[in-house]
Amino acid sequence: MKRLFFVTIFIFIISCGDIDFVYKEDKNLINPLYEKTEVSTSGLDINFMNSYLPMFFGNKKEDRFSLIIKIEQDKIKRSVETNQATSKLRYELKFIYTLILNEKKCVTFDKELVSHFSIIPKSSGYNYGTDSSLEKKYQLAVTENLNRFVSIITDKDLNNCS
């Protein structure tokens, strides 16, 4: 019985020899712009955007980079009823990121990322359910877009001008 137990443990330990951990390298966990960037936004004014930016870029301790985020929005009517009321709207948010290396005064990264979502308006005028849902979809689109930007930027050399 003891032999069977030790053989089982031995086989289990041998079989786990080639396991690679997802976060083996720290480079996937680090935002190279964190606490090194002054961020400014322009274009569409999203009221909660300024509260989300410190989560991604921290409070500026070094003046190494300047990041300009320009936000543009397109509303596309996907479905129109016979009385010309819109029954489905598609929002397309374009985030144009321009990263400037301050010491060389040059652009090191320039990228446009698009996020989109659809909403079905329930009535004309103020509708709490639709407005609350719309705000939540804006929040999801903004966080998804910022996460994509940070994941793209981790693999780039930010010290060279493009």
Side-chain angles (χ1 to χ4, degrees):
M1 191 68 174
K2 283 185 178 182
R3 275 184 146 178
L4 181 62
F5 177 72
F6 285 119
V7 169
T8 306
I9 294 294
F10 180 73
I11 291 172
F12 178 73
I13 290 172
I14 296 270
S15 66
C16 295
D18 291 330
I19 293 177
D20 287 331
F21 294 101
V22 175
Y23 295 117
K24 186 164 83 173
E25 297 178 16
D26 284 342
K27 82 173 199 174
N28 292 334
L29 300 175
I30 297 174
N31 178 356
L33 301 178
Y34 194 77
E35 294 184 344
K36 299 176 186 172
T37 309
E38 181 174 339
V39 182
S40 63
T41 60
S42 64
L44 179 67
D45 184 28
I46 301 176
N47 52 357
F48 55 84
M49 183 79 168
N50 291 332
S51 64
Y52 276 48
L53 291 175
M55 290 186 329
F56 287 91
F57 303 107
N59 296 323
K60 182 181 78 164
K61 293 184 179 175
E62 294 179 42
D63 193 24
R64 188 165 167 85
F65 298 102
S66 294
L67 177 64
I68 302 166
I69 305 172
K70 183 177 179 187
I71 306 167
E72 298 175 354
Q73 172 180 282
D74 288 331
K75 290 183 188 178
I76 303 162
K77 295 178 182 179
R78 302 291 295 186
S79 179
V80 179
E81 301 293 326
T82 56
N83 64 356
Q84 297 302 309
T86 303
S87 62
K88 189 169 187 180
L89 273 173
R90 176 182 165 99
Y91 287 80
E92 192 170 274
L93 297 173
K94 291 180 190 172
F95 291 75
I96 303 164
Y97 296 96
T98 306
L99 184 65
I100 300 169
L101 181 61
N102 289 338
E103 70 183 33
K104 294 182 181 178
K105 304 255 189 275
C106 63
V107 175
T108 62
F109 186 78
D110 195 18
K111 182 83 173 171
E112 178 180 307
L113 297 175
V114 178
S115 294
H116 49 83
F117 59 89
S118 295
I119 192 160
I120 301 170
K122 298 295 180 196
S123 68
S124 61
Y126 185 76
N127 183 345
Y128 179 75
T130 301
D131 293 345
S132 175
S133 173
L134 182 62
E135 185 174 331
K136 186 66 175 172
K137 289 188 178 195
Y138 268 115
Q139 289 175 355
L140 290 172
V142 166
T143 54
E144 180 265 335
N145 203 292
L146 287 170
N147 278 324
R148 265 196 302 158
F149 172 71
V150 169
S151 69
I152 290 170
I153 210 84
T154 55
D155 297 333
K156 301 291 182 187
D157 181 20
L158 301 177
N159 295 319
N160 294 327
C161 299
S162 54

